[in-house]
Amino acid sequence: SQQGEEDPQALSIQEGENATMNCSYKTSINNLQWYRQNSGRGLVHLILIRSNEREKHSGRLRVTLDTSKKSSSLLITASRAADTASYFCATYNAGNMLTFGGGTRLMVKP
Amino acid sequence: DSGVTQTPKHLITATGQRVTLRCSPRSGDLSVYWYQQSLDQGLQFLIQYYNGEERAKGNILERFSAQQFPDLHSELNLSSLELGDSALYFCASSASWAGGEQFFGPGTRLTVL
């Protein structure tokens, strides 16, 4: 079963625009992670935010976490064509299994 | 490059057959995880090994088994293959046994005909 659910399922923007993806999860967490997957390739870890953090930055990425709403958002600023990929949020469940949402497919048009 | 290697990259086989997927974790990582990614099921956790011992088990079928060897590489064995087993199989590794970021390999694409 999926712990996280991303929204939207697909997003298409122009290069230079910002992209925002949302993730909701069901149970309490210690941390939440975001991963990127280029088509048919392995997942790449982007950022980890702990449950006691509200916001975290890494380059053009900004992640927020609202534990009261059990939600997180990933913002990619000044998007580039190379950002075209699927983005997944992931959390650990009680059984130490990292569970992924269905992902947001982002397309950045040049 | 994550430092995690998987072989083979592609595998095409027939129903009823058995295959073995291999994974070498990043240097120093003791945990190895296996995932299956298919269009209908998404990315599903299968099993985790930590320093040779099974640590967590997810939606892994009884026809599937895994092990981690003393040199920390891992193998995922899939037997009595069915058409529905066609998927991408990923291995990931991490330094700790719980809670941290995972580093994914490039995956093995399995096609069952």
Side-chain angles (χ1 to χ4, degrees):
Chain A
S1 63
Q2 293 177 337
Q3 162 76 315
E5 292 295 336
E6 286 88 346
D7 171 59
Q9 290 187 340
L11 182 60
S12 181
I13 59 174
Q14 294 293 135
E15 210 165 25
E17 293 180 341
N18 295 341
T20 299
M21 289 157 263
N22 302 296
C23 165
S24 59
Y25 57 92
K26 297 174 185 173
T27 62
S28 61
I29 59 171
N30 291 321
N31 63 62
L32 183 142
Q33 303 178 45
W34 285 90
Y35 288 81
R36 183 187 75 228
Q37 183 181 31
N38 290 82
S39 181
R41 310 283 292 275
L43 281 77
V44 175
H45 183 267
L46 295 176
I47 197 164
L48 181 152
I49 185 166
R50 302 188 191 286
S51 59
N52 61 353
E53 297 176 308
R54 291 297 167 258
E55 188 171 308
K56 198 163 183 178
H57 297 254
S58 177
R60 293 184 295 112
L61 306 180
R62 180 173 79 99
V63 169
T64 62
L65 179 64
D66 186 335
T67 53
S68 66
K69 295 181 180 177
K70 291 188 170 58
S71 68
S72 174
S73 68
L74 171 66
L75 168 67
I76 304 174
T77 60
S79 63
R80 305 166 182 168
D83 295 327
T84 294
S86 291
Y87 292 82
F88 297 88
C89 67
T91 58
Y92 282 95
N93 66 13
N96 190 43
M97 293 181 267
L98 190 62
T99 57
F100 291 82
T104 293
R105 294 187 308 280
L106 173 66
M107 172 163 299
V108 182
K109 300 178 208 173
Chain B
D1 184 2
S2 67
V4 178
T5 61
Q6 288 187 250
T7 56
K9 288 185 179 178
H10 302 276
L11 201 48
I12 300 174
T13 188
T15 54
Q17 294 298 304
R18 172 189 168 94
V19 297
T20 297
L21 313 184
R22 182 187 169 103
C23 166
S24 292
R26 288 190 322 159
S27 177
D29 284 356
L30 299 179
S31 271
V32 169
Y33 309 80
W34 287 97
Y35 294 88
Q36 179 194 60
Q37 186 178 37
S38 61
L39 284 175
D40 55 345
Q41 294 292 322
L43 195 60
Q44 299 281 325
F45 168 81
L46 295 178
I47 197 165
Q48 177 203 1
Y49 279 83
Y50 178 79
N51 203 20
E53 300 288 330
E54 184 183 301
R55 180 70 183 86
K57 206 166 187 175
N59 299 321
I60 187 166
L61 299 172
E62 285 191 10
R63 300 183 286 108
F64 296 1
S65 65
Q67 55 184 325
Q68 186 179 28
F69 294 87
D71 67 352
L72 301 178
H73 91 271
S74 178
E75 293 181 356
L76 179 67
N77 300 296
L78 315 177
S79 61
S80 303
L81 285 168
E82 302 175 358
L83 296 178
D85 297 327
S86 295
L88 268 169
Y89 290 84
F90 290 106
C91 166
S93 74
S94 69
S96 69
W97 61 270
E101 66 181 285
Q102 296 182 17
F103 297 86
F104 281 74
T108 293
R109 182 174 293 279
L110 173 67
T111 302
V112 182
L113 301 175

